[in-house]
Amino acid sequence: MDKIIINGGRVLHGNVRVEGAKNAVLPILAAALLASEGPNIIRDVPNLSDVSTINEVVKSLNAKVEYDPEQGQVIIDSTEELASEAHFEYVRKMRASILVMGPLLARNGFARVALPGGCAIGSRPIDQHLKGFEAMGAEITFGHGHVEATAVNGLKGAKIYLDFPSVGATENIMTAAALAKGTTIIENAAKEPEIVDLANFINEMGGRVIGAGTDAIRIEGVRQLHGTVHHIIPDRIETGTFMVAAAITGGDVTIDNAVPEHNAALISKLGEMGVVITELDEGLRIQAKHPLKAVDLKTMPHPGFPTDMQSQMMALMLTASGTGVLTETVFENRFMHVEEFRRMNASVKIEGRSVIISGPSDLQGAEVSATDLRAAAALILAGLVAEGVTRVTELAHLDRGYVDFHKKLKALGADIERVSEEKKTEKSKQLV
Ligand SMILES: CC(=O)N[C@H]1[C@@H](OP(=O)(O)OP(=O)(O)OC[C@H]2O[C@@H](n3ccc(=O)[nH]c3=O)[C@H](O)[C@@H]2O)O[C@H](CO)[C@@H](O)[C@@H]1O
Ligand SMILES: C=C(OP(=O)(O)O)C(=O)O
């Protein structure tokens, strides 16, 4: 089992480059299955365990996949007839495997996918995805832990109003509608930058998606889609995580390859706290001097404050002066990291869907365990400023969404290393 060990107290300085966005590349690699002519070449692909998982899923569906992690490139050839079932072994590993359902239904008129169930951040139902497929003429059935969607006569365009602007439902409906007969309109659609990247990709394959990034997306179905070359957008959550890393250490960090407009809510909140942020041609410079001011914040669908930055912001708010209230409205149970922060001497109180933070806490290094992907990053951020040594375990969560996180922090001046049990055993053998 790997551990990240941090000796707190270093101020971060320098430049760091962010990777392609995890939450853009996963739906795009699934949507590549829509192309029945010519291969898709996807570039700026981050070397993450989730990328390996989606590649496995796509391969299991009979597409040919060539992945070059060094180059950050995936080539997908889905021109042969596709299988129709995404097995539990993949969906269990990664919920986003459900995103193959739209493309499979579009290509085959049938899809069978293991039900994803909940995870550490909430129950995460898929009713809005299924409501969309049903409106387009698919029959939905459940059994033996799976959901099946069948459209014997193919999918037909429909008007679909989402009860909540779900990212995954918007993506699955967009891909299903790309090859449907007629026009589909998604109302109350998700507006995240990753939705726009997916729409651009579908259009580059020959599709017709209009309005992505607004709350009404119009998809005019086409008969066939072809392979293309697509570059993934930069990861706004990795960007945000390094913004917080700079702020929490009182540092001066420039983030290359960042898109400021994708992080408007975070830029505004950090500004309120007293962090100085400068927008550069291709990036962001973050300068912070302590003490920072406490703020209140509420997570919301884009362009609101992203839930995927909630735990990292909680780490930062622990170091700010005054009382701040952080409210989570997107997921009902995304506070598992609070107990771990308490192990680091944080003063945090949960009240329903809010957390009240009285700062600054006198953070102390401790042995803590990552409860989900962003909690892993947040605990490491807290470790950067805690007094003494912090050890973070359960790093499989971190590897889902961050490439070389500890190496990038080390290059900025952090005292941080990653050790594996095997290495430790080797060391102790040498000592004996
Ligand atoms: C791979 C990926 O892109 N993951 C992101 C995606 O997840 P994901 O696509 O799963 O998130 P959604 O936007 O769908 O979920 C948001 C909320 O809607 C609820 N819901 C969703 C679908 C549905 O059919 N019914 C329903 O009730 C969920 O339980 C949750 O409470 O968006 C989330 C919200 O920004 C991010 O935190 C995740 O990082
Ligand atoms: C919650 C996240 O991802 P996923 O939807 O893949 O679990 C995340 O990226 O923070």
Side-chain angles (χ1 to χ4, degrees), residues 23 124-129 164 166-168 307-308 330-331:
N23 288 350
R124 306 185 76 173
I126 56 164
D127 56 302
Q128 300 300 302
H129 305 229
F164 180 89
S166 154
V167 172
T307 172
D308 292 352
V330 179
F331 290 106

Side-chain angles (χ1 to χ4, degrees), residues 161-179:
Y161 180 88
L162 296 180
D163 296 345
F164 180 89
S166 154
V167 172
T170 304
E171 292 167 343
N172 243 338
I173 296 168
M174 264 164 69
T175 51
L179 294 174

Side-chain angles (χ1 to χ4, degrees), residues 26-36 40 54 57-58 61 76 78 82-85 96-113 129 133 136 149 155 168-180 198 201-202 205 225:
L26 299 178
I28 284 174
L29 292 175
L33 289 169
L34 288 167
S36 52
N40 269 302
I54 197 79
V57 180
V58 168
L61 293 166
I76 296 187
S78 55
L82 298 177
S84 289
E85 174 160 354
S97 308
I98 190 85
L99 295 174
V100 297
M101 202 165 182
L104 290 182
L105 195 50
R107 280 282 299 269
N108 292 348
F110 175 71
R112 183 168 197 266
V113 176
H129 305 229
F133 298 149
M136 284 188 271
L155 295 171
T170 304
E171 292 167 343
N172 243 338
I173 296 168
M174 264 164 69
T175 51
L179 294 174
L198 175 62
F201 174 58
I202 295 173
M205 287 193 290
L225 293 169

Side-chain angles (χ1 to χ4, degrees), residues 239-402:
T239 301
T241 305
F242 280 107
M243 289 168 75
V244 172
I248 205 167
T249 62
D252 182 352
V253 171
T254 297
I255 304 170
D256 300 323
N257 198 32
V259 183
E261 307 84 73
H262 292 175
N263 277 108
L266 177 62
I267 290 173
S268 157
K269 265 304 148 192
L270 291 178
E272 278 177 46
M273 294 181 82
V275 179
V276 177
I277 298 169
T278 315
E279 294 188 13
L280 308 170
D281 279 349
E282 275 192 44
L284 283 167
R285 181 173 180 193
I286 319 301
Q287 293 164 286
K289 271 209 178 72
H290 290 173
L292 296 175
K293 285 195 288 287
V295 287
D296 295 337
L297 78 82
K298 201 184 250 189
T299 65
M300 303 277 269
H302 194 78
F305 193 93
T307 172
D308 292 352
M309 280 303 302
Q310 181 251 105
S311 34
Q312 301 92 312
M313 272 306 269
M314 194 182 292
L316 181 61
M317 282 166 64
L318 290 172
T319 67
S321 297
T323 299
V325 180
L326 191 158
T327 305
E328 172 61 59
T329 76
V330 179
F331 290 106
E332 82 272 9
N333 184 28
R334 207 173 190 177
F335 285 146
M336 304 278 278
H337 41 281
V338 166
E339 281 308 320
E340 302 303 304
F341 280 140
R342 284 194 182 127
R343 296 175 54 73
M344 300 179 76
N345 198 38
S347 172
V348 197
K349 201 166 137 211
I350 301 182
E351 273 190 12
R353 300 191 83 160
S354 296
V355 163
I356 298 158
I357 302 160
S358 313
S361 285
D362 186 14
L363 290 176
Q364 298 168 359
E367 185 115 4
V368 287
S369 182
T371 48
D372 73 67
L373 159 58
R374 307 302 169 187
L379 291 167
I380 294 167
L381 294 175
L384 293 176
V385 285
E387 185 269 313
V389 176
T390 300
R391 292 183 179 79
V392 185
T393 58
E394 300 302 329
L395 299 179
H397 292 295
L398 184 75
D399 298 337
R400 287 188 49 218
Y402 292 91

